Amino acid sequence: QVQVVESGGGLVQAGGSLRLSCTASGRIVNINSMSWYRQGPGKQREFVARITSGGSSNYADSVKGRFTISRDNAENTVYLQMSSLKPDDTAVYYCNAFILTTGRLTYNDYWGQGTQVTVSS
């Protein structure tokens, strides 16, 4: 019913910047919020940033001040602008969307396949 696709990952040097994109498509009635999570090697998946339909955003302490989350006019695409990147930011970054689809009464979570971000020393 819903497809969530991330893009923009790659290899950057420490201190550099990278911009990730995520687009949700399908039988979407409304998107309550969109979020970014990441999972580094040997680690559990962790929350990175979230933006609501009303435009409110919040961040994990580890990225606050360095990462910025935003969305497009249609609110079907979310971006993550990452700056001052550190080797510890190396992870697979996943997009999550909390979506109401046609014929449903409740919202559900939808996940993308992830995009690799590697930060070299």
Side-chain angles (χ1 to χ4, degrees):
Q1 293 184 336
V2 173
Q3 293 289 313
V4 179
V5 180
E6 306 98 333
S7 63
L11 174 64
V12 297
Q13 293 183 327
S17 299
L18 202 62
R19 185 180 179 86
L20 306 182
S21 300
C22 171
T23 298
S25 61
R27 303 186 68 178
I28 298 170
V29 176
N30 190 47
I31 300 177
N32 178 265
S33 65
M34 299 184 76
S35 305
W36 289 97
Y37 290 75
R38 67 185 182 185
Q39 187 168 17
K43 300 179 180 179
Q44 295 186 99
R45 187 174 299 186
E46 64 177 353
F47 167 79
V48 176
R50 174 178 291 113
I51 187 165
T52 69
S53 60
S56 298
S57 60
N58 61 293
Y59 301 86
D61 288 341
S62 60
V63 306
K64 193 170 186 178
R66 300 188 298 120
F67 292 10
T68 301
I69 190 169
S70 61
R71 63 186 182 184
D72 72 357
N73 292 334
E75 300 186 6
N76 288 328
T77 299
V78 65
Y79 305 96
L80 186 68
Q81 178 66 50
M82 305 182 293
S83 61
S84 301
L85 284 163
K86 307 173 182 179
D88 285 347
D89 294 319
T90 295
V92 177
Y93 283 71
Y94 296 92
C95 180
N96 171 270
F98 195 50
I99 298 174
L100 178 68
T101 58
T102 54
R104 302 292 182 88
L105 298 177
T106 60
Y107 286 77
N108 284 285
D109 283 309
Y110 296 88
W111 291 89
Q113 295 299 306
T115 184
Q116 177 70 49
V117 173
T118 302
V119 184
S120 62
S121 301

